[in-house]
Amino acid sequence: MERKPIKLLIMDIDGTLVTNKKEISPATCKALIDLQNNGVRLALASGRPAKGMLRFARQLEMDKHHGLLISSNGAKAAMSFS
């Protein structure tokens, strides 16, 4: 069976990406930036409003890699990080 490359990784923030201190661990941050540098697009999905996701998107350098934010329980999707 041929393995196809991963093109998109979508993950939740709370309870998945961040620690119980609401931080992305350095190892996770590095791994996700490395994935993006190797052509994998990253999307964060959350019940949070987009404004509450920006800190993590910036930390992961998603603005440099055309990352996506899926916010407000899926009601909004955006590539803008301003």
Side-chain angles (χ1 to χ4, degrees), residues 8-64:
L8 174 66
L9 176 64
I10 304 171
M11 65 178 53
D12 181 44
I13 293 176
D14 298 302
T16 305
L17 176 63
V18 298
T19 67
N20 57 1
K21 294 181 181 178
K22 302 294 183 201
E23 299 172 346
I24 302 173
S25 75
T28 298
C29 187
K30 182 184 180 323
L32 292 174
I33 291 170
D34 287 348
L35 278 176
Q36 292 176 99
N37 286 334
N38 286 294
V40 177
R41 195 166 187 185
L42 184 60
L44 298 181
S46 180
R48 296 172 180 229
K51 186 175 182 179
M53 302 169 71
L54 289 177
R55 165 172 80 108
F56 303 115
R58 289 186 181 117
Q59 184 179 356
L60 295 169
E61 300 179 6
M62 291 173 61
D63 54 328
K64 298 176 184 176

